[in-house]
């Protein structure tokens, strides 16, 4: 039984959430990169609008910068969400199964996600390698600059997934917070 379910049943107090620590720390680097990407997106789009309407020549690089930063934001944000278990759990059907079946599904899903993160990392590393000689159109940087951070973020997703350590609790399935006790 999880702490939240035990608390809801009136048997124990929930465990305190771990302190996230400062944003500019190694532990939260994925979140800091996501924040930086959000700032870049907002500033880039703002500058694009300003130059389009106030200057005779609009800045052509703003769209590419915003698109690249958005891609990075998605992947680094996904890595941060794994640490906090913030990805959607659609487990209403799984909750109806007996505990041994829930455990089997949980183990299968855990290994499936680990394989996905390994595959994403490998694919983005390969994409970065083969696209290094290709230049991004407007800002004239190697396309590997776009893909290499996504490979790193995919590796971070795998690391965050491993750090959840479900084997420490005997591979016990934990319901999402939306399930009533």
């Amino acid at each position: 039984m999880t702490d939240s379910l035990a608390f809801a049943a009136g048997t124990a107090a929930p465990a305190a959430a771990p302190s996230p620590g400062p944003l500019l720390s190694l532990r939260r680097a994925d979140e800091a990169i996501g924040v930086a990407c959000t700032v870049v997106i907002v500033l880039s789009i703002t500058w694009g609008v300003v130059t389009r309407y106030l200057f005779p020549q609009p800045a052509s690089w703003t769209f590419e910068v915003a698109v690249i930063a958005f891609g990075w934001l998605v992947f680094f944000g996904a890595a941060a969400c794994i640490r906090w278990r913030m990805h959607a759990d659609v487990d209403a059907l799984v909750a109806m199964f007996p505990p041994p079946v829930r455990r089997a599904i949980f183990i299968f899903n855990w290994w499936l996600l680990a394989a996905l993160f390994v595959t994403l990392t490998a694919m983005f590393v390969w994409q970065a390698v083969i696209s290094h000689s290709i230049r991004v159109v407007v800002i004239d940087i190697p396309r590997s600059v776009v893909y290499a951070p996504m490979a790193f973020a995919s590796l971070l997703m795998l690391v965050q997934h491993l750090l959840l350590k479900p084997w420490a609790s005997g591979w016990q399935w934990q319901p999402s917070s939306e399930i009533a006790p």
Side-chain angles (χ1 to χ4, degrees):
M1 181 178 283
T2 64
D3 288 338
S4 60
L5 291 176
F7 179 70
T11 59
S19 171
L23 180 61
L24 297 178
S25 65
L26 188 57
R27 177 185 169 128
R28 294 181 65 193
D30 46 11
E31 293 176 64
I33 292 169
V35 169
C37 288
T38 302
V39 170
V40 166
I41 292 167
V42 169
L43 293 177
S44 174
I45 291 172
T46 301
W47 184 249
V49 170
V50 167
T51 60
R52 176 171 305 264
Y53 293 109
L54 297 181
F55 297 114
Q57 180 69 31
S60 58
W61 55 267
T62 59
F63 177 73
E64 270 187 4
V65 168
V67 168
I68 292 169
F70 182 75
W72 294 355
L73 171 64
V74 167
F75 278 82
F76 283 99
C81 286
I82 291 170
R83 177 176 56 253
W84 297 104
R85 290 196 68 208
M86 293 177 69
H87 286 282
D89 288 344
V90 183
D91 55 3
L93 181 63
V94 176
M96 291 190 250
F97 291 131
V101 175
R102 288 193 304 235
R103 183 174 184 263
I105 292 170
F106 176 68
I107 292 169
F108 174 76
N109 284 344
W110 192 90
W111 282 104
L112 188 66
L113 283 170
L116 171 69
F117 301 141
V118 168
T119 303
L120 281 174
T121 302
M123 288 175 56
F124 279 121
V125 165
W126 178 246
Q127 190 65 32
V129 168
I130 64 173
S131 66
H132 183 68
S133 61
I134 302 169
R135 309 297 284 184
V136 174
V137 177
V138 177
I139 55 178
D140 196 36
I141 58 173
R143 195 165 289 275
S144 60
V145 172
V146 175
Y147 294 115
M150 292 179 178
F152 181 65
S154 298
L155 180 63
L156 281 178
M157 285 187 238
L158 176 63
V159 169
Q160 295 294 350
H161 187 64
L162 293 172
L163 289 175
L164 291 175
K165 297 188 255 183
W167 53 86
S169 64
W171 293 95
Q172 292 302 311
W173 173 77
Q174 297 175 0
S176 66
S177 60
E178 291 86 15
I179 295 177

